[in-house]
Amino acid sequence: QGDSARDGRPHVVISNLEHDSIAKVASALEKEGLLDVTVVAARHSTARVHIEDIEAVLTANTTLVSIMLANNETGVVQPVAEISQCLRNWSKRTGFPRPWFHTDAAQAIGKLPVNVNVLGVDYLTIVGHKFYGPRVGALCARQNAPLHPMLFGGGQERGLRPGTENTGMIAGLGRAAELVTLHLRDYSENMASTCEYLRQRLRGEFSE
């Protein structure tokens, strides 16, 4: 729901890099007439979404921006922290409410530092099997960020998601996150070394 400062349908901004779990949901809701969606394209020169392209499509009705942190196909890291600051600056300058900001960090956990406060996001999603954990996901939401249930029945998870919690997988996800964070430097150095090896081999096989 929008607030009194917003007229018309809620407006959501995503990039053309988003996983189907974001892109197809946004598309389906738009087809149902529940919101308007703007898809911002990453630039070919950088494979990144540029801040000015995000800012250019913001409106008084923009309630949510969702930009993934690391792309699952290219590995390119998006400027999430910078976009977060852009949204704050835009809100101060225009007087419109700041859109809520979500990032899909599934591909980033275990590969680079992920800190909700540093990124400045309101919502952050992860999934365990991307960092050797069980196939269960988690949503991190700031205390003041709105959340509404999609299913109804039990009072589990503060009434937001009914159904008996899978305690084993939840514990496994937490432990996997602890371990991958503990050994992040080793993983990052190994990936950087592998990336450099690949880059050198490609340069050896193909001309610049």
Side-chain angles (χ1 to χ4, degrees):
Q1 298 286 337
D3 56 35
S4 59
R6 307 177 197 266
D7 297 320
R9 290 188 298 188
H11 175 234
V12 173
V13 178
I14 65 175
S15 78
N16 66 336
L17 305 173
E18 303 307 306
H19 189 272
D20 282 349
S21 60
I22 299 294
K24 289 193 173 181
V25 170
S27 177
L29 292 174
E30 184 174 41
K31 288 178 181 178
E32 292 179 19
L34 297 177
L35 50 79
D36 295 319
V37 179
T38 298
V39 180
V40 176
R43 296 194 185 182
H44 293 293
S45 58
T46 61
R48 303 177 90 203
V49 177
H50 284 230
I51 297 170
E52 54 267 34
D53 296 337
I54 295 286
E55 186 172 1
V57 300
L58 298 175
T59 73
N61 287 1
T62 305
T63 56
L64 177 70
V65 175
S66 183
I67 305 294
M68 67 164 44
L69 182 53
N71 185 259
N72 55 303
E73 295 180 350
T74 67
V76 174
V77 178
Q78 301 303 317
V80 169
E82 291 83 352
I83 293 172
S84 174
Q85 187 59 52
C86 168
L87 297 178
R88 286 172 167 76
N89 293 341
W90 174 84
S91 177
K92 291 178 181 178
R93 188 174 66 255
T94 63
F96 295 130
R98 177 182 66 83
W100 300 104
F101 190 21
H102 165 263
T103 190
D104 170 4
Q107 296 290 344
I109 297 289
K111 303 176 183 70
L112 56 106
V114 176
N115 185 303
V116 173
N117 292 324
V118 172
L119 294 172
V121 295
D122 302 295
Y123 308 96
L124 182 145
T125 46
I126 62 172
V127 62
H129 66 274
K130 298 298 183 181
F131 51 95
Y132 312 108
R135 287 181 174 269
V136 62
L139 167 67
C140 176
R142 290 192 183 276
Q143 189 171 8
N144 66 331
L147 282 176
H148 303 283
M150 298 176 64
L151 302 172
F152 301 89
Q156 293 87 355
E157 300 191 39
R158 301 177 185 177
L160 293 172
R161 186 179 185 277
T164 302
E165 293 93 339
N166 191 333
T167 306
M169 281 196 168
I170 293 171
L173 177 72
R175 183 57 175 159
E178 289 177 4
L179 291 172
V180 80
T181 301
L182 180 64
H183 300 288
L184 180 60
R185 176 176 292 183
D186 293 336
Y187 295 150
S188 297
E189 290 177 353
N190 179 65
M191 284 184 287
S193 175
T194 302
C195 181
E196 183 58 30
Y197 172 76
L198 175 62
R199 185 179 291 111
Q200 291 177 1
R201 290 298 304 270
L202 289 173
R203 287 173 176 170
E205 295 293 331
F206 303 99
S207 64
E208 293 288 341

